[in-house]
Amino acid sequence: MTETQGSTPSRRAVIGWGGAGIALGAVAAGGAVAMTKAGSDLDPVGADAGGATEFHGVHQAGIATPVQDRLHFAAFDVKTDDRAEFVRMLKDWTAAARRMTAGKEVGEGAYGGLAEAPPDDTGEALGLKPSRLTLTIGFGPSLFERFGLRDRRPAALVDLPKFPGDNLDRSRTGGDLCVQACADDPQVAVHAIRNLARIGFGKVAVRWSQLGFGKTSSTTPDAHTPRNLFGFKDGTRNIAGTETGRLKKFVWVGDGDGGANDAWMHGGSYLVARRIRMNIETWDRAPLQEQEDIFGRDKGEGAPVGRAKEHDEPFLKAMKPDAHVRLSHPDANGGITILRRGYSFTDGTDGLGRLDAGLFFLAYQRDPRNGFIPLQRRLAASDALNQYIQHVGSAVFAIPPGVRDAHDWWGRTLLSEEA
């Protein structure tokens, strides 16, 4: 049996409850898996090998670990008022995440059990490799209005202000919880979110979700820089997973951050998620020179204005005053640095013959008050790129520290009475 044996209902017990529960037992799909360390950017197995990323660690995987090719991000609303029931769900989620990231089925699997009970696993990932699946959980500001947690809300978990140009869709904004599933196989990522939603049925409900493809930033040193849907390289100066000094300074919550009630966040981070609609059709009619002036880089090599290579140090004054790179560069913002982990998306059309496409922007940082918020204020005020984009969805989450071992669970530092 797994480490959750003592508190997990059996399949027979599930039948007794009318099938309302989910068993998280021990029977596993086999197969050895190669591992990488959570919080590290070393990737010896690579995407082609379909290897597994270690679930346990000081920090949650899916932040500084190598960025995978696909995303399924989901924000949830909490429906239960029972704290014990919510904690039980988080423990069940942790057990399921531990198995799925290792390439195993949830509980007793997708078939072979009692015919009278729903299977524990939905089955669409059967036969697929782990595909470097990572699952990362976060807690939104609204969660702290529940379960007596108001005094535990971190000082850094502030509500994002309304920025100039925002046109936020409330149905794609906010959430009590989030789960970020990243993998190299989209079916593996979708399977993970689907199973967590199924386990949480009656206790949580999906508020909104986003599928993503074509990572737009990398955390791997010397890796090829991916391109966004405007065709430009994105994330050239992103923090690498091996840069432990920069991660400690800009990403991980440290000792002394916040007040006495914020200690549970030590080793965690803060996530800002923004759904950014790109006006693809308008952009595609813009002259090449205008496109390059807007970004401050050439479209082919990705070199900053006046330089030859992508990674050459940019000369900001050579760029137009409203160039995106010039305005967003740390040297122009008092050193503000965030870790980007965004994805492109296309969600059909808007009913007017235009693609509903853009960037699902994910940014991790030590404190949004010193990271995304002042940076976005500057960009929203004068970035030339604004005429081609619009922020239509938004959320902020506290990302707790990692699950330390087989006995730990998501949210323990916040929700356990001992903590």
Side-chain angles (χ1 to χ4, degrees):
M1 298 295 290
T2 67
E3 66 281 355
T4 59
Q5 177 183 4
S7 56
T8 301
S10 67
R11 289 180 65 86
R12 191 173 299 276
V14 171
I15 295 296
W17 298 343
I22 295 294
L24 294 174
V27 179
V33 291
M35 297 292 184
T36 60
K37 264 190 172 181
S40 163
D41 204 55
L42 302 178
D43 182 28
V45 291
D48 292 338
T53 298
E54 175 59 52
F55 179 70
H56 301 120
V58 175
H59 313 294
Q60 289 195 65
I63 303 174
T65 40
V67 183
Q68 305 92 319
D69 289 333
R70 301 288 181 149
L71 167 80
H72 191 190
F73 188 97
F76 295 84
D77 287 332
V78 175
K79 297 300 183 181
T80 181
D81 292 322
D82 186 329
R83 178 183 173 123
E85 184 178 50
F86 180 64
V87 168
R88 178 67 264 163
M89 186 205 75
L90 290 177
K91 291 180 178 180
D92 288 348
W93 270 15
T94 306
R98 186 179 284 119
R99 294 181 64 81
M100 289 189 290
T101 55
K104 301 175 182 178
E105 298 170 64
V106 174
E108 295 181 17
Y111 61 91
L114 294 175
E116 297 81 5
D120 291 343
D121 189 286
T122 53
E124 71 272 26
L126 287 172
L128 300 179
K129 296 178 180 180
S131 300
R132 298 192 299 160
L133 172 68
T134 56
L135 292 167
T136 312
I137 196 171
F139 303 139
S142 53
L143 179 69
F144 294 85
E145 299 300 314
R146 296 174 171 271
F147 310 125
L149 296 175
R150 184 169 296 180
D151 292 339
R152 306 299 302 278
R153 178 173 172 174
L157 187 61
V158 296
D159 295 312
L160 296 179
K162 180 175 174 56
F163 299 101
D166 278 4
N167 185 23
L168 301 183
D169 179 350
R170 293 188 63 181
S171 67
R172 293 182 178 270
T173 295
D176 295 328
L177 298 172
C178 76
V179 179
Q180 171 194 282
C182 299
D184 290 316
D185 187 325
Q187 189 142 319
V188 170
V190 169
H191 167 264
I193 295 294
R194 178 182 176 187
N195 277 271
L196 295 181
R198 183 174 182 271
I199 292 168
F201 181 77
K203 298 172 279 290
V204 295
V206 175
R207 179 181 178 87
W208 56 269
S209 68
Q210 181 66 59
L211 294 173
F213 66 92
K215 61 186 180 184
T216 60
S217 296
S218 173
T219 56
T220 305
D222 303 321
H224 171 74
T225 305
R227 295 178 184 267
N228 57 36
L229 291 183
F230 284 159
F232 278 77
K233 292 185 177 181
D234 210 337
T236 294
R237 295 176 58 86
N238 202 31
I239 301 174
T242 53
E243 295 182 293
T244 54
R246 294 181 77 199
L247 288 168
K248 181 178 180 180
K249 182 176 181 180
F250 297 114
V251 178
W252 307 130
V253 177
D255 288 329
D257 288 1
N261 291 330
D262 295 359
W264 67 272
M265 275 292 293
H266 183 242
S269 189
Y270 292 92
L271 169 64
V272 172
R274 303 279 283 185
R275 188 177 191 270
I276 304 174
R277 173 85 180 270
M278 291 178 167
N279 300 323
I280 298 291
E281 292 78 12
T282 306
W283 176 264
D284 289 346
R285 294 194 295 271
L288 175 60
Q289 187 62 60
E290 179 181 343
Q291 293 182 1
E292 293 183 334
D293 287 343
I294 287 172
F295 272 98
R297 291 183 178 273
D298 74 65
K299 198 168 187 177
E301 166 62 26
V305 173
R307 305 300 191 193
K309 299 295 182 181
E310 176 193 350
H311 293 281
D312 289 348
E313 191 66 26
F315 180 49
L316 300 183
K317 291 184 178 179
M319 302 175 187
K320 290 185 176 294
D322 56 359
H324 181 73
V325 170
R326 179 169 180 170
L327 292 174
S328 62
H329 195 279
D331 289 351
N333 291 283
I336 292 175
T337 303
I338 56 178
L339 187 155
R340 299 182 57 189
R341 200 181 171 94
Y343 287 82
S344 296
F345 70 84
T346 56
D347 289 337
T349 65
D350 61 0
L352 299 174
R354 300 173 301 191
L355 285 174
D356 181 5
L359 169 67
F360 190 64
F361 177 86
L362 297 167
Y364 288 90
Q365 62 239 272
R366 187 169 178 171
D367 188 333
R369 298 171 298 179
N370 306 320
F372 176 81
I373 292 175
L375 181 60
Q376 180 58 25
R377 279 184 173 140
R378 179 175 173 84
L379 292 174
S382 53
D383 189 353
L385 194 58
N386 290 337
Q387 62 184 308
Y388 295 101
I389 64 172
Q390 187 168 60
H391 292 241
V392 296
S394 179
V396 60
F397 300 96
I399 307 299
V403 176
R404 300 172 305 173
D405 52 39
H407 304 287
D408 202 2
W409 46 278
W410 273 338
R412 176 193 57 82
T413 58
L414 171 64
L415 287 155
S416 69
E417 296 297 339
E418 296 78 10

